[in-house]
Amino acid sequence: EVQLQASGGGLVQAGGSLRLSCAASGFTFDDYAIGWFRQVPGKEREGISCISNNDGRTYYANSVKGRFTISSDNAKNTVYLQMNMLKPEDTAVYYCAADLKCQDGLLWGYWGQGTLVTVSS
């Protein structure tokens, strides 16, 4: 059974940091891409970062570039999203998803449940 579990969200002040984790199981982790997405109520879910585990390529949305870093620990089947210099506009529910390749859009094969990040001003 394919499972993705996002965790690590919480409350942080603007300028602070959080590290989100996406623990994967039920598939060959090394052959998949893991993406991070976020959603604010009333707004469309947006992709913010992705890592391709087969070649290590990474991608970032302009809104988080330079502040967030995605990484993968194959031994733990876990992808991390290190979020630094957080802003109130980063407040959202963060989701991770898996598919064969990093890609635009929301039609990813597998999704985890979200973890809430709240950034206070």
Side-chain angles (χ1 to χ4, degrees):
E1 179 183 358
V2 173
Q3 291 186 320
L4 296 169
Q5 298 179 207
S7 62
L11 175 64
V12 64
Q13 285 189 296
S17 299
L18 283 174
R19 189 180 73 164
L20 304 185
S21 299
C22 178
S25 62
F27 61 94
T28 305
F29 184 76
D30 306 50
D31 294 338
Y32 278 76
I34 303 293
W36 283 99
F37 301 77
R38 65 186 182 187
Q39 187 168 25
V40 177
K43 295 184 178 180
E44 185 67 37
R45 189 174 299 186
E46 62 172 330
I48 57 172
S49 189
C50 185
I51 184 166
S52 177
N53 284 332
N54 55 19
D55 62 12
R57 296 180 68 180
T58 59
Y59 304 87
Y60 299 93
N62 288 336
S63 58
V64 306
K65 194 174 299 181
R67 299 187 298 122
F68 293 9
T69 303
I70 191 168
S71 62
S72 182
D73 185 340
N74 283 180
K76 296 182 178 180
N77 282 0
T78 300
V79 165
Y80 303 96
L81 185 68
Q82 179 65 47
M83 306 187 297
N84 298 324
M85 298 298 293
L86 283 162
K87 305 174 181 179
E89 51 263 45
D90 294 320
T91 295
V93 176
Y94 285 71
Y95 301 85
C96 61
D99 213 318
L100 291 174
K101 295 182 177 180
C102 291
Q103 58 193 282
D104 295 330
L106 302 177
L107 298 179
W108 286 57
Y110 304 99
W111 290 86
Q113 292 194 325
T115 184
L116 176 63
V117 172
T118 303
V119 184
S120 62
S121 60

